[in-house]
Amino acid sequence: MEGKTTIKYLQNYIMSKDYNPKAAKDYFLKLSEEVGELSRAIRKVSLRSQSETVKETIDEEIWDVMYYCIALANCYGIDLEQTIKDKEAINNLKYNTNIKFEESK
C-alpha cells in the first residue's frame, strides 16, 4: 500500500492532533462552515493549478470538509473503513448497481 493514504491512517492522524469528543457539536459547526466555504469555491470554480497554492480552492475546501467529517467520526468511535463497506452494501442493494465494493482497491 505504499504511496496510498488509507481512511484508517487519516482517522489516526486526525485523532493524534485533534481529538476532543466533548467538542462534537463544535466539530459539526466547523463542518457546516467548511461546506459553505466549499460552496463559495465551487461558485468561483477555483481549482488550483500546478503553480498555485491550495489556499481558497475547491481542493482545500474538500479536504477541510473531509477533515471535520473524520474528526466527528472519531468523536463517536466510528470506524469509517467498516462503515464505508457496510453502507456501500446497503446502497448497492438499494440502487441495484451491481458494482461490488472491493476493499482491497
Side-chain angles (χ1 to χ4, degrees):
M1 269 232 241
E2 187 153 336
K4 307 265 185 193
T5 303
T6 65
I7 301 293
K8 186 162 294 303
Y9 172 80
L10 289 174
Q11 281 198 262
N12 290 332
Y13 171 74
I14 291 170
M15 186 176 287
S16 72
K17 66 183 225 164
D18 189 5
Y19 178 66
N20 184 358
K22 293 180 182 176
K25 288 180 185 176
D26 295 326
Y27 288 130
F28 178 75
L29 292 173
K30 188 66 179 158
L31 171 61
S32 298
E33 179 183 327
E34 295 300 343
V35 168
E37 290 176 12
L38 174 58
S39 174
R40 187 172 31 256
I42 288 172
R43 248 183 301 135
K44 291 182 187 176
V45 189
S46 54
L47 287 168
R48 101 175 133 149
S49 69
Q50 294 287 346
S51 62
E52 295 176 320
T53 66
V54 72
K55 191 74 179 141
E56 296 180 3
T57 62
I58 294 169
D59 313 45
E60 176 187 28
E61 302 309 337
I62 285 176
W63 167 245
D64 290 344
V65 168
M66 290 175 59
Y67 180 99
Y68 286 104
C69 283
I70 293 168
L72 271 170
N74 286 344
C75 286
Y76 292 102
I78 295 169
D79 177 344
L80 284 173
E81 287 188 346
Q82 187 61 52
T83 299
I84 290 166
K85 290 183 252 183
D86 295 345
K87 182 60 174 149
E88 278 307 296
I90 293 167
N91 287 348
N92 287 338
L93 286 173
K94 182 176 181 180
Y95 299 109
N96 198 23
T97 63
N98 295 319
I99 300 171
K100 186 177 186 312
F101 182 79
E102 297 180 45
E103 63 183 281
S104 62
K105 295 200 176 208

